[in-house]
Amino acid sequence: MEESDRLALQEILNNSAAMYAFIARLYRQEVDKDLLSSLHRLDFAAAADEPEIAAGYRMMEGFLRQGNDDQEVELAVDYARIFLGCGPKQGEGAFPYESVYTSPRGLIMQEARDQVVAVYRSEGMVRDSSFSEPEDHIAFELVFMEYLCRSMLKALHQEDEEQVLSCLHKQKEFLDQHLMNWVPGFCQDVERIAATDFYRGLAKVTVGYLRMEQELLNELLN
């Protein structure tokens, strides 16, 4: 691999890892005071050229610019409404588990969860004990993509081109077989149920980013 190609791929992977971690954090738990302060300092307008991601960022930024004193509470209430089913219609929610969207009865802890656990173990990813949700939660799956990006960065540093190619295939396989198998439908539900433009925008950013990553991986492997 040429040095210029290696450096370009390294930059792509660093950006991808950071983005997966950022989105995962927003799904993992409510926005707390520290994160809200960090979000207010972000320059969303310069963050993306992809239309759906840009539209989502505009929605998130529009919410944050309102500058209400109760934004943290408003976001916590909306998080509970969307992801925990605590809205006006009891039990209605965009429940963030692959099993819910892929099992016949829409239940958690189904076949998809077992599948991703096996994948995580095969790659040596250790579960974060502070996060007790089932392993097919969207935050887990996004963190796994971050983990694969960082594994690939290590392979690049070691100039192990065979391992680099293997990591690319693993990213594509997990994205195709898991995330893209359910996240688009999940994000449609988030947009439908959310009361804030912050989470409606996050849904757009999520889908737009995963589609962009899918296209990138297809290009890199062709």
Side-chain angles (χ1 to χ4, degrees):
M1 182 183 295
E2 297 289 337
E3 180 67 9
S4 59
D5 292 335
R6 189 184 70 81
L7 291 174
L9 184 54
Q10 181 176 306
E11 182 178 4
I12 289 170
L13 289 168
N14 276 316
N15 290 337
S16 294
M19 187 65 172
Y20 280 124
F22 173 68
I23 301 174
R25 168 59 185 86
L26 294 176
Y27 285 115
R28 176 172 171 156
Q29 64 191 74
E30 300 93 333
V31 174
D32 59 23
K33 184 177 180 179
D34 289 341
L35 178 55
L36 185 59
S37 178
S38 296
L39 290 169
H40 276 286
R41 294 194 297 270
L42 288 181
D43 182 7
F44 286 92
D49 294 326
E50 197 279 333
E52 191 163 19
I53 300 175
Y57 276 146
R58 285 195 298 271
M59 294 175 73
M60 295 171 76
E61 185 177 39
F63 173 84
L64 293 167
R65 280 184 174 177
Q66 294 172 11
N68 300 333
D69 292 338
D70 60 351
Q71 279 190 337
E72 184 181 348
V73 173
E74 189 176 355
L75 288 174
V77 170
D78 207 25
Y79 184 96
R81 172 201 300 269
I82 304 164
F83 306 119
L84 305 179
C86 299
K89 295 182 180 179
Q90 192 65 30
E92 181 187 50
F95 300 104
Y97 312 97
E98 184 177 348
S99 291
V100 170
Y101 283 84
T102 59
S103 64
R105 297 176 61 190
L107 302 175
I108 65 170
M109 301 292 284
Q110 301 300 300
E111 184 178 359
R113 180 263 177 187
D114 296 337
Q115 290 173 350
V116 297
V117 167
V119 174
Y120 300 160
R121 287 176 178 168
S122 72
E123 294 303 313
M125 189 177 87
V126 179
R127 178 189 175 110
D128 181 353
S129 61
S130 69
F131 189 50
S132 60
E133 295 287 347
E135 290 87 346
D136 61 340
H137 190 287
I138 187 172
F140 266 121
E141 295 195 0
L142 292 168
V143 165
F144 181 64
M145 290 298 290
E146 177 198 1
Y147 178 86
L148 290 177
C149 288
R150 298 201 182 282
S151 295
M152 190 170 166
L153 281 167
K154 181 178 179 181
L156 272 177
H157 179 71
Q158 295 172 341
E159 299 184 359
D160 186 343
E161 294 194 15
E162 183 177 342
Q163 183 62 19
V164 168
L165 185 60
S166 175
C167 287
L168 279 174
H169 281 290
K170 288 171 184 176
Q171 287 182 53
K172 176 174 167 49
E173 182 177 0
F174 193 80
L175 189 58
D176 290 346
Q177 295 184 6
H178 291 283
L179 284 160
M180 291 304 292
N181 192 37
W182 71 281
V183 170
F186 161 74
C187 285
Q188 286 181 348
D189 287 341
V190 173
E191 286 199 68
R192 176 175 56 84
I193 296 167
T196 64
D197 273 352
F198 182 87
Y199 283 113
R200 293 190 195 104
L202 174 61
K204 287 186 179 296
V205 169
T206 303
V207 172
Y209 187 71
L210 292 181
R211 287 176 179 154
M212 188 174 72
E213 283 283 288
Q214 193 173 43
E215 291 175 4
L216 174 63
L217 289 168
N218 286 335
E219 289 176 7
L220 290 172
L221 287 167
N222 289 333

